[in-house]
Amino acid sequence: MMLPQFAFAQKYTISGYVKDKATGEDLIGANVMVAGQTIGTSANGYGFYSLTLPSGSYDIIYSFIGYSDDTVHVNLKADKTLTVQLSASAIMTQEVVVSAERKANVQSSQMSVVRLPVETVKTLPAFMGEVDVLKTIQLMPGVQSAGDGNAGFYVRGGGPDQNLILLDEATVYNASHLFGFFSVFNADAVKDMEMFKGGMPAEYGGRISSVLNISMKNGNMKEYHVEGGIGSVSSRLTVQGPIVKDKASFIVSARRTYIDALIRPFTKKTSLLRTSGYYFFDVNAKANWIINDNNRLYLSGYYGYDKFRFGSKEMGLDMNMPWGNGFVTLRYNHVFNNKFFSNTSLIWSNYKFNTSISMLTMVDENAENNENASGFVLKQKSGINDWNLKQDFTWLAGPKNTVKFGVQYTHHKFTPNTLAAEISDTTLGSDFSNNNNQFAHEVGIYIGDDFKINDRFTLYLGMRNSYFVQVGPFTRYIKDDLHQNTIDEIRYKDNQPVAFYWDVEPRASFKVSLTENSSIKASYMRNSQYIHLASISATTLPIDLWVACSDVVKPQKGSQYALGYFQNLFNDKFEGSIEVYYKSLKNQIEYMDGALPGDDISDNADNYFIFGKGYSYGVEFFFKKRVGLFTGWIGYTWSKTDKIFDDIDNGNPFPAKYDRRHDLSVTATYQITERLTASAVFVYATGNTTTLPVASYMIDGDYVNVYGKRNSYRMPAYHRLDLSLTWDMKTKKNWKSSLNFSIYNVYNHKNPYFIYVYNTGNVKDGTYKTVAKQLSIIPILPAITWNFKF
């Protein structure tokens, strides 16, 4: 009697990688399903999968969106290693899409997740023809754009600093070029992107609103390829190929704007355009080596640089403002056995912002800058530098149970605003080598278990413990009650603790299937964030200051509850969802009234902060057509976000500057012919809040404005329509090319950038008045881009 039961209980594991047949790229999230059953799994972030089944014969279906399915017959009588290569599908049929997505929106325990194929991003209209990952993410419900000329984005009432942005696991602190008009992510180098608006898994921490995780391509393992594009304001080039075929590969991708170089030869020597300008460039590079079936090595890097310059010969003024991000990531994958996978990462990342203002007797229009010229030079800089070590493990216990656990360590170095002044070779003020840097250690330990109880119920439970300690050297400046004078100092020695914090961060999500095509999901997450972004302006700019928690600044804390209904319709051609959420925010910071840029020079930045809390709640609607010649989606969000600060309006709630009642996005793509595709994007959003004067009075002959309550005025609504048309030219041997025509802001709507106020007239003749003017910066902008690949 025991022998048959023992035989029936024997289970074996099939494991391996799922790859692109043409390039050898790992297919992140590829689905592995048993035909005729609901048992299956997905490939992890490195394309590795593991599926444990009872002994027997099975048809295993491998699928991925945009690829043709591959069915492999397996006679499972022992553990088996199998790497499968899928071919890209020339036609996006309903069968390909549905089997690839595996009804993930209704069957997965995860909710509040955004996944967008890069090819979808490339079909949508783009600002000046430059495909932008971040701009596309902001078309999803719950993700709000900060507006034209703003670098940040807001997720469910959270600030731009509360989003964890990762590129190949490295933290990106400033994700934009050109003051927010372009993102730092080159779409030609991006393989996969995933965003969590809520229900954040335990492996992610350090931010309280969202995670945007972007993976770079590994490089073609089969053959060499070159692709790129030449546009109106920028060009890009990507080269990739095998170092050793099927063993090692590389990819290098670069971009640069050149409007400054095009204009310069045609301007007069006396023109401001001759001595002023802007450009950016960035470079992505990656190499990977398959040592053997169980060991892989990845080395990736990024460097981006922005440079703004304004010079006036008449004024004797030359201002240079460079800033940029950089990172290097080294990762090692090891497969211990067919159920146990590990990844070890060593990461260096850096963000810096500099300003140099020179008052000179003459500005050289032929010089890159005039920092070495004689005269008065004022220099300022700030930034952040991180070293990060991570050890992550994945235990694929079975087809119904996946456990992830690990530990993460980060060493932070924050450089606050520092200032140096020079007259010729004489240095005045504080020198960069003696600034009041902040040093800190941050540790996260986590475990999470995604468990499928049965065909109807799936549960995810996670726990994360986080620890943060600020250490010396550090000087605490004690201010008087008016925050005007320093009355004392406390000096901390090297590695002497200044402040210590820790927290327990539970995560949970639950899915109940109502039918095969519908489900209800709920999630909860609690997060702690030990760094803040201090913004003194109404816009998000590179001058915003990153600061660490200290003996004055407490960690940000966020708790979010979410509930959603998910439904597939009409044989899975359409999908829809409704999600409601509530988020509480603690230990939020603002600059105190009257604080000005530079007040914290030779001081602690946190001496000029005030502290409060906030809350946000809303409902999100999403409806998407996934297949056919016509595809697209509609996303709508109704939300409310308020903050409460004891030092603002007597502690009464006031709307956050990014509080928006309505946010609507509509995208549509239509394949007119095999080689002609049209697309459109329409967005509408309630205007941002701001503070304007409500009265004025005179003191000693000068007019002084009296401002109303914080953020009590709402700017006009933001809306625009973008169109694009892509023409795929005839393929000649291995040469492919296309032309993209796009129009940004088709009906030339003057969307508000900010509102400024000035006084005019005088009281004596009754003509005095205060005037508010709206500044708009982006008119209708047509663009053309030629893309090529060979």
Side-chain angles (χ1 to χ4, degrees), residues 470-759:
Q470 182 196 358
V471 298
F474 179 72
T475 302
R476 164 59 61 195
Y477 297 97
I478 310 298
K479 313 296 288 187
D480 61 21
D481 293 339
L482 298 178
H483 290 273
Q484 292 181 350
N485 301 307
T486 300
I487 59 176
D488 199 1
E489 294 181 2
I490 302 175
R491 296 185 178 273
Y492 295 87
K493 299 179 180 179
D494 289 1
N495 296 313
Q496 181 181 354
V498 178
F500 174 75
Y501 302 99
W502 70 281
D503 198 12
V504 176
E505 306 174 26
R507 318 285 173 82
S509 59
F510 186 67
K511 182 268 299 182
V512 181
S513 294
L514 303 178
T515 67
E516 183 182 2
N517 296 312
S518 65
S519 64
I520 293 176
K521 301 180 185 181
S523 68
Y524 168 76
M525 69 177 190
R526 172 185 165 91
N527 300 60
S528 287
Q529 179 171 331
Y530 299 101
I531 64 175
H532 300 251
L533 183 65
S535 176
I536 205 164
S537 66
T539 57
T540 305
L541 296 172
I543 61 174
D544 293 343
L545 186 67
W546 286 98
V547 295
C549 286
S550 65
D551 53 328
V552 173
V553 179
K554 304 297 188 291
Q556 301 186 64
K557 296 183 184 294
S559 295
Q560 183 184 143
Y561 307 82
L563 177 68
Y565 173 76
F566 300 81
Q567 174 80 59
N568 282 9
L569 300 166
F570 304 109
N571 198 26
D572 296 312
K573 293 180 180 179
F574 298 85
E575 70 173 65
S577 65
I578 302 175
E579 294 188 44
V580 294
Y581 68 88
Y582 177 85
K583 178 189 292 184
S584 63
L585 305 168
K586 297 181 180 180
N587 300 329
Q588 304 298 285
I589 69 169
E590 296 271 358
Y591 273 104
M592 63 177 56
D593 288 338
L596 297 173
D599 281 349
D600 53 356
I601 299 296
S602 298
D603 201 344
N604 304 123
D606 52 27
N607 280 332
Y608 298 89
F609 297 159
I610 54 177
F611 307 94
K613 59 185 178 181
Y615 58 87
S616 179
Y617 55 87
V619 57
E620 301 168 0
F621 299 88
F622 183 67
F623 187 75
K624 179 180 180 181
K625 186 176 186 295
R626 302 191 297 181
V627 296
L629 297 177
F630 179 81
T631 59
W633 69 78
I634 300 174
Y636 170 76
T637 304
W638 183 96
S639 63
K640 181 176 176 60
T641 304
D642 280 348
K643 289 191 172 184
I644 303 172
F645 282 70
D646 291 339
D647 296 314
I648 298 177
D649 194 20
N650 299 316
N652 293 315
F654 64 91
K657 67 180 181 181
Y658 39 83
D659 170 60
R660 290 182 183 170
R661 201 67 67 243
H662 306 284
D663 196 276
L664 172 70
S665 300
V666 181
T667 73
T669 301
Y670 182 67
Q671 188 169 342
I672 302 171
T673 68
E674 185 178 350
R675 293 192 292 141
L676 198 62
T677 303
S679 63
V681 170
F682 174 76
V683 295
Y684 173 91
T686 301
N688 285 344
T689 62
T690 189
T691 308
L692 294 179
V694 294
S696 61
Y697 59 91
M698 182 181 291
I699 298 180
D700 297 331
D702 296 324
Y703 294 107
V704 178
N705 289 325
V706 178
Y707 284 81
K709 293 183 178 181
R710 179 72 66 99
N711 295 337
S712 58
Y713 179 81
R714 193 172 291 277
M715 290 192 285
Y718 180 101
H719 55 88
R720 72 170 200 274
L721 173 68
D722 306 331
L723 299 175
S724 77
L725 184 69
T726 301
W727 174 37
D728 292 322
M729 301 179 181
K730 289 184 178 181
T731 302
K732 297 181 179 180
K733 294 184 179 179
N734 294 325
W735 177 274
K736 297 180 180 179
S737 64
S738 65
L739 278 175
N740 176 266
F741 306 90
S742 65
I743 303 177
Y744 187 90
N745 195 7
V746 171
Y747 50 87
N748 197 31
H749 181 246
K750 295 180 179 179
N751 288 302
Y753 181 53
F754 64 79
I755 293 177
Y756 63 95
V757 176
Y758 65 93
N759 299 322

Side-chain angles (χ1 to χ4, degrees), residues 277-582:
Y278 170 86
Y279 70 88
F280 78 78
F281 71 85
D282 56 33
V283 179
N284 296 76
K286 188 173 183 179
N288 78 103
W289 176 29
I290 303 176
I291 302 171
N292 53 44
D293 289 343
N294 295 328
N295 297 279
R296 296 186 173 200
L297 201 61
Y298 301 85
L299 178 64
S300 53
Y302 167 86
Y303 181 71
Y305 182 82
D306 289 65
K307 177 68 175 290
F308 172 75
R309 183 191 180 197
F310 175 80
S312 171
K313 183 177 181 180
E314 290 75 16
M315 298 171 60
L317 173 67
D318 188 45
M319 182 177 70
N320 289 276
M321 188 185 295
W323 70 92
N325 293 290
F327 79 79
V328 177
T329 299
L330 178 65
R331 291 179 291 175
Y332 169 63
N333 289 176
H334 178 66
V335 180
F336 288 94
N337 55 49
N338 50 30
K339 293 185 178 182
F340 201 57
F341 180 93
S342 79
N343 176 67
T344 305
S345 301
L346 177 63
I347 306 165
W348 171 81
S349 63
N350 176 268
Y351 169 69
K352 59 183 179 180
F353 174 81
N354 297 320
T355 302
S356 173
I357 302 176
S358 305
M359 300 298 294
L360 310 171
T361 55
M362 184 173 65
V363 177
D364 183 1
E365 63 269 13
N366 296 313
E368 173 68 17
N369 57 62
N370 284 275
E371 294 182 5
N372 296 321
S374 62
F376 177 80
V377 180
L378 186 68
K379 297 181 179 180
Q380 176 270 341
K381 79 169 185 177
S382 63
I384 181 171
N385 189 87
D386 285 351
W387 282 96
N388 181 235
L389 179 63
K390 298 172 59 180
Q391 181 61 65
D392 303 299
F393 297 97
T394 302
W395 176 34
L396 300 157
K400 296 183 178 182
N401 194 16
T402 300
V403 180
K404 295 183 179 181
F405 60 96
V407 60
Q408 302 162 356
Y409 165 77
T410 303
H411 176 269
H412 297 290
K413 177 185 176 183
F414 297 85
T415 302
N417 277 326
T418 56
L419 190 67
E422 298 178 0
I423 298 179
S424 297
D425 297 328
T426 303
T427 300
L428 306 174
S430 62
D431 184 72
F432 290 154
S433 60
N434 297 319
N435 54 56
N436 197 21
N437 292 327
Q438 285 181 284
F439 299 90
H441 305 279
E442 185 175 352
V443 176
I445 303 172
Y446 73 90
I447 184 169
D449 187 359
D450 195 0
F451 182 69
K452 185 177 182 180
I453 301 172
N454 54 41
D455 289 344
R456 291 192 61 200
F457 299 94
T458 303
L459 175 67
Y460 174 84
L461 291 175
M463 182 66 72
R464 183 182 183 90
N465 283 11
S466 58
Y467 306 87
F468 180 90
V469 57
Q470 182 196 358
V471 298
F474 179 72
T475 302
R476 164 59 61 195
Y477 297 97
I478 310 298
K479 313 296 288 187
D480 61 21
D481 293 339
L482 298 178
H483 290 273
Q484 292 181 350
N485 301 307
T486 300
I487 59 176
D488 199 1
E489 294 181 2
I490 302 175
R491 296 185 178 273
Y492 295 87
K493 299 179 180 179
D494 289 1
N495 296 313
Q496 181 181 354
V498 178
F500 174 75
Y501 302 99
W502 70 281
D503 198 12
V504 176
E505 306 174 26
R507 318 285 173 82
S509 59
F510 186 67
K511 182 268 299 182
V512 181
S513 294
L514 303 178
T515 67
E516 183 182 2
N517 296 312
S518 65
S519 64
I520 293 176
K521 301 180 185 181
S523 68
Y524 168 76
M525 69 177 190
R526 172 185 165 91
N527 300 60
S528 287
Q529 179 171 331
Y530 299 101
I531 64 175
H532 300 251
L533 183 65
S535 176
I536 205 164
S537 66
T539 57
T540 305
L541 296 172
I543 61 174
D544 293 343
L545 186 67
W546 286 98
V547 295
C549 286
S550 65
D551 53 328
V552 173
V553 179
K554 304 297 188 291
Q556 301 186 64
K557 296 183 184 294
S559 295
Q560 183 184 143
Y561 307 82
L563 177 68
Y565 173 76
F566 300 81
Q567 174 80 59
N568 282 9
L569 300 166
F570 304 109
N571 198 26
D572 296 312
K573 293 180 180 179
F574 298 85
E575 70 173 65
S577 65
I578 302 175
E579 294 188 44
V580 294
Y581 68 88
Y582 177 85

Side-chain angles (χ1 to χ4, degrees), residues 3-15:
L3 285 175
Q5 294 181 27
F6 179 79
F8 180 79
Q10 292 298 298
K11 292 186 177 182
Y12 300 103
T13 300
I14 179 172
S15 62

Side-chain angles (χ1 to χ4, degrees), residues 126-130 232 740-744 781-785:
F127 177 75
M128 297 303 292
E130 187 67 32
S232 307
N740 176 266
F741 306 90
S742 65
I743 303 177
Y744 187 90
L781 286 176
I784 181 172
T785 304

